Amino acid sequence: MDGHAEGEGRVYQALGDQHISEHHHHHGGGEAGPDTPDSVRHPAVGRPPVVLRDRLEVLERLRESAASGRGCDIHVLHGLGGCGKTAVAYDFFRSATGELGLTGLWVNASDRASLRAGMLAVASDRGAADSELLAVRNGFRPAADLVWEYLDRSAEPWLLVLDNADDPAILRDGSWLRTSPRGTVVVTTRRAAARWWPGAQLQHIGVLPREDAARVLCDLAPHSGTMEQAAEIADRLGRLPLALTLAGGFLSHQVIDPWSMEVYGHRLDEGERVALIDQGADALEEDPRQLVGRTWQLTLDTFEARGLTGAVALLRLLARMAPEPLPLSVLNRPEIEEVLPRTRTETALRALLDHSLAELVDTSVRCVQSHGVLLDSVAAATPLTEVAVLDSTAVELLGAAVPAIPDAGPYEPRLRLLAPHVLALLRRVADSPAMPDALAVATRLAVALHRTGDYLSAWETVRTAAALTEPLLGEEHRLVLAARSREGRALFRLGRYTEAESLLSRVRRAQERLLGPDDPDTLDTYHGLQLVLGNLGRRDEALALLRQTVAGRRTALGPAHPLTLRSRASLLVILPAPGLETEDGGTLLSLPEECVRHLGPDHTVTLGARHNHAWALYVLGRLEAADEEIRSVAEAYDRRFGPDYPIALSARQLLARTRAALGHRDEGIALMSDVVARRERALGAGHPFTAASRGLLGELRADSGADQT
């Protein structure tokens, strides 16, 4: 909708939250004051919003309040810059003045001078005499008292909008924000803390839902692409109204070589995202709030001016990571001292929350989150002299949040929350000395995810990390090879045996050539590859490789190292019956006792050795002993990891075998049915592990039927 001005007034065009810096005003026939706005009867929003999506609920509440006629209401619209707070206020203003017949008054509250000048213009509009205004200007009468006296005496009910009130202290110090029975007040602000707005009704204005965000792009650039393509771009832009408007404006105004939405999406992924978005503002005026590259810099400049340098440093640190929820515990560590004193982290975070630059979210873990376009904007504007220390600090903080030696355990949601931040950091540190350390953290995180049974997240994390770093470090870099090895291990657990074998074999050849067969990384690949080969039916190859792994780990790590003992425990599963009693000079069957001596009875390697030992006893026909041991191990797994943990399911499956072999077939069938159901839920019906369990269940049922016959 087009705005218009009366007399010598002017309408300014802009997008998103903004303010107007040029002022001249004629009231009562007097001389124009240098700080007086052109008009308070028309919103100084420049270009009205072309499209307003997903704000109907907010607008309805505002309209109900204004239509009630009771007055005395203050509504505060707060949120991140660029979310369309001013657009909502504008639409309500238009509705209130047009449909409800209210007198609309609009004041720019972005600074003291603009607020004071605008509010005095409101007093003049409501009937204040020039002599009264002169008394205020000369300091003989309180300005706010005069304004609210005339607002309270207004013959017509009114709506007063205080736009861009991002410094609430300005309103508080002058007592400018009050209530009146004659009208309704609406404030737009980035300041979210309720303490600034006592007695007001707070309404958060956030990003748009996906469908509404896509419609904004399609409304602005209807011939550039489909709704689904628009939705994909909207996701890349974080569904921020300002960014969507700029993107739509860019797509709709190209003449020589118009881009499609598909091309625009590719360009967003390729280079400087913020600079590309801001190209949509080329035809607009110079107000920096119209550019996503500057819209938040105003707040950071304010932080600097107020001495809140810690808030700036913290936001720049967050900008090295992802727009997804980040566990607050990551920031509460001594490693942050390189960027800001740990004692000031709390104050810095509160400043970001108060200015809508971050928000707290609870995903079963308390987290902080910032918008992606904001983070990109801050990262692009970060001084180069600070980048190295920010990168290294981010790596250290994320590294400290990942277990130094990941162990088996139940699902840990905090680990999955770290994955997008580790990957975002890898994207930020391209060509940086911090990249190898960041890749090492990503690989360790993948190991930790793997050992909680979250194989898909482990695979996605390490695969992406390797893909990001391989072009820069080289495919034969030690850390890249280690990442690819973990990728192969995850593929195996996902049931993709052929892919796992191909990848692990390739990594093995490179590591043997570059590092040697006894290097710990090479031996780790050996251990993973023998698991794949065994499940592919190539048991002789698997056994030979496992024996090589055991020998190499004994030499490289020592006989009591957990990894050495883990590989020896794997021999209990792969060896045929005759070899179980002769391997390692006949000492293999006493491995659980050896693990207890070196690691303790509760260590996961000890439990794994007992699990495999129970299998060996089953193979040797010692059913009572096997049944007793696996029952104890299964109970320990359930207590420690939960009944859905992969190892716990394997133990319960072996227990089903021993119970059935001892004549308790119904119990065995019940146990096996439960394993199948749980594996179908966790892995899917087509996973090889699920299929194997289902096959065993069929065998138990068939044997039971034969017994009955």
Side-chain angles (χ1 to χ4, degrees):
M1 178 173 292
D2 294 327
H4 69 280
E6 298 176 355
E8 294 184 52
R10 284 178 260 177
V11 174
Y12 292 79
Q13 295 193 342
L15 297 171
D17 300 336
Q18 50 82 52
H19 66 274
I20 303 299
S21 56
E22 181 179 0
H23 308 288
H24 56 86
H25 179 58
H26 301 274
H27 272 299
E31 199 66 30
D35 296 319
T36 308
D38 288 323
S39 172
V40 291
R41 289 292 193 99
H42 296 280
V45 299
R47 178 182 301 174
V50 179
V51 181
L52 196 67
R53 296 280 183 188
D54 186 50
R55 308 302 191 196
L56 296 181
E57 184 178 341
V58 178
L59 289 169
E60 187 58 32
R61 281 199 294 272
L62 294 173
R63 288 171 185 146
E64 286 178 3
S65 174
S68 69
R70 63 177 180 267
C72 295
D73 284 341
I74 299 176
H75 299 272
V76 175
L77 308 181
H78 65 91
L80 177 69
C83 274
K85 304 177 294 293
T86 296
V88 174
Y90 172 87
D91 199 78
F92 175 49
F93 186 97
R94 185 166 57 87
S95 171
T97 55
E99 300 171 17
L100 302 178
L102 303 184
T103 296
L105 304 165
W106 190 286
V107 173
N108 169 28
S110 61
D111 56 64
R112 294 180 187 276
S114 298
L115 173 66
R116 180 183 175 87
M119 291 297 276
L120 289 176
V122 164
S124 176
D125 182 275
R126 295 293 84 201
D130 285 348
S131 59
E132 294 176 293
L133 295 172
L134 182 61
V136 167
R137 292 190 177 102
N138 289 332
F140 298 124
R141 185 169 183 181
D145 289 348
L146 175 70
V147 173
W148 282 98
E149 176 185 332
Y150 277 93
L151 284 170
D152 289 342
R153 291 163 47 184
S154 174
E156 304 89 14
W158 45 261
L159 165 67
L160 171 63
V161 175
L162 301 176
D163 192 30
N164 293 321
D166 296 334
D167 187 356
I170 295 173
L171 299 175
R172 180 195 60 196
D173 294 346
S175 190
W176 288 109
L177 184 61
R178 308 183 189 182
T179 61
S180 170
R182 299 300 296 150
T184 299
V185 180
V186 172
V187 180
T188 71
T189 181
R190 301 182 187 192
R191 303 298 290 275
R195 70 178 184 276
W196 291 114
W197 315 109
Q201 300 180 45
L202 273 65
Q203 175 62 57
H204 177 248
I205 306 298
V207 299
L208 296 173
R210 192 171 195 260
E211 183 176 348
D212 289 289
R215 289 190 182 281
V216 169
L217 283 173
C218 288
D219 288 334
L220 294 170
H223 305 299
S224 298
T226 65
M227 272 288 293
E228 184 53 38
Q229 289 171 332
E232 291 175 0
I233 292 177
D235 287 340
R236 290 181 173 91
L237 298 176
R239 307 194 303 277
L240 184 73
L242 174 58
L244 294 167
T245 303
L246 292 174
F250 175 85
L251 289 168
S252 63
H253 284 88
Q254 284 186 307
V255 177
I256 297 176
D257 184 21
W259 288 4
S260 65
M261 289 186 186
E262 183 178 8
V263 171
Y264 189 86
H266 288 319
R267 296 297 177 90
L268 280 174
D269 293 337
E270 288 174 358
E272 294 294 332
R273 183 158 62 150
V274 172
L276 174 57
I277 296 169
D278 280 344
Q279 288 185 39
D282 283 348
L284 303 178
E285 297 294 331
E286 298 179 355
D287 183 357
R289 288 175 181 254
Q290 299 169 9
L291 305 174
V292 297
R294 282 286 298 166
T295 188
W296 300 289
Q297 189 60 42
L298 300 172
T299 303
L300 299 189
D301 292 344
T302 301
F303 285 162
E304 296 277 11
R306 292 168 54 196
L308 292 173
T309 54
V312 178
L314 180 58
L315 187 58
R316 286 173 176 166
L317 178 63
L318 293 175
R320 311 317 292 169
M321 293 180 268
E324 279 75 26
L326 174 72
L328 285 170
S329 58
V330 173
L331 303 177
N332 189 29
R333 299 195 58 86
E335 289 82 2
I336 204 169
E337 292 277 351
E338 290 295 321
V339 171
L340 76 159
R342 188 179 180 186
T343 55
R344 291 169 54 190
T345 305
E346 177 80 16
T347 302
L349 179 58
R350 288 188 179 280
L352 298 184
L353 297 171
D354 187 25
H355 288 78
S356 299
L357 295 172
E359 62 178 326
L360 295 178
V361 293
D362 195 338
T363 61
S364 76
V365 177
R366 294 183 66 244
C367 296
V368 63
Q369 183 173 12
S370 294
H371 194 277
V373 178
L374 161 64
L375 297 181
D376 283 345
S377 174
V378 172
T382 298
L384 291 177
T385 54
E386 298 181 18
V387 168
V389 69
L390 288 168
D391 286 344
S392 62
T393 302
V395 171
E396 290 173 5
L397 286 170
L398 291 171
V402 180
I405 303 176
D407 196 3
Y411 172 72
E412 172 53 76
R414 187 178 57 84
L415 291 175
R416 184 181 287 186
L417 290 170
L418 296 176
H421 300 287
V422 170
L423 296 178
L425 180 58
L426 277 172
R427 294 183 178 95
R428 297 281 192 214
V429 299
D431 295 324
S432 164
M435 174 174 276
D437 290 337
L439 175 57
V441 171
T443 303
R444 182 154 44 90
L445 175 60
V447 175
L449 289 165
H450 185 109
R451 290 184 178 165
T452 65
D454 190 358
Y455 304 126
L456 182 59
S457 293
W459 173 68
E460 290 174 340
T461 299
V462 77
R463 175 180 64 94
T464 304
L468 288 170
T469 55
E470 191 174 272
L472 298 168
L473 297 178
E475 64 179 13
E476 293 191 337
H477 189 283
R478 172 188 279 273
L479 292 173
V480 173
L481 289 171
R484 292 296 188 192
S485 180
R486 294 310 310 185
E487 180 185 352
R489 298 280 286 271
L491 284 170
F492 163 65
R493 289 295 177 181
L494 291 171
R496 296 161 63 173
Y497 295 164
T498 302
E499 294 171 75
E501 190 275 333
S502 175
L503 178 56
L504 287 170
S505 294
R506 177 166 62 84
V507 172
R508 171 193 180 180
R509 290 191 294 271
Q511 288 175 328
E512 286 177 338
R513 176 167 47 84
L514 298 167
L515 309 175
D518 292 328
D519 185 87
D521 284 2
T522 309
L523 295 168
D524 190 61
T525 300
Y526 285 175
H527 187 87
L529 181 56
Q530 62 86 19
L531 292 171
V532 180
L533 294 174
N535 280 270
L536 285 172
R538 295 155 61 180
R539 297 183 67 84
D540 290 343
E541 292 178 66
L543 178 56
L545 190 57
L546 181 56
R547 281 174 168 153
Q548 188 175 353
T549 306
V550 170
R553 282 182 164 172
R554 271 188 170 133
T555 301
L557 305 175
H561 193 280
L563 293 179
T564 305
L565 296 172
R566 187 190 301 274
S567 291
R568 289 184 64 203
S570 295
L571 288 168
L572 289 165
V573 176
I574 199 171
L575 283 167
L580 289 170
E581 296 181 306
T582 59
E583 190 77 16
D584 272 353
T587 63
L588 186 61
L589 288 175
S590 62
L591 181 62
E593 290 83 356
E594 191 174 342
C595 290
V596 170
R597 285 199 308 275
H598 294 303
L599 306 175
D602 297 325
H603 197 283
T604 52
V605 171
T606 302
L607 290 175
R610 289 183 59 204
H611 183 171
N612 292 359
H613 182 247
W615 171 260
L617 293 175
Y618 175 80
V619 170
L620 292 169
R622 304 177 191 175
L623 299 181
E624 293 284 356
D627 184 73
E628 181 181 356
E629 179 140 45
I630 197 58
R631 181 181 296 278
S632 173
V633 170
E635 290 172 354
Y637 282 153
D638 283 353
R639 286 194 305 270
R640 185 165 175 179
F641 305 136
D644 290 321
Y645 191 70
I647 296 176
L649 291 174
S650 295
R652 202 172 297 118
Q653 179 167 299
L654 178 54
L655 181 59
R657 284 177 179 266
T658 61
R659 298 310 291 161
L662 289 169
H664 306 289
R665 294 195 183 279
D666 288 345
E667 184 181 350
I669 289 171
L671 283 167
M672 203 63 241
S673 297
D674 180 64
V675 170
V676 170
R678 291 178 185 274
R679 280 190 161 161
E680 284 181 344
R681 286 197 301 270
L683 303 175
H687 193 285
F689 289 178
T690 308
S693 296
R694 194 184 301 110
L696 179 57
L697 175 60
E699 292 176 16
L700 295 180
R701 283 174 172 163
D703 289 345
S704 178
D707 287 349
Q708 292 173 5
T709 300

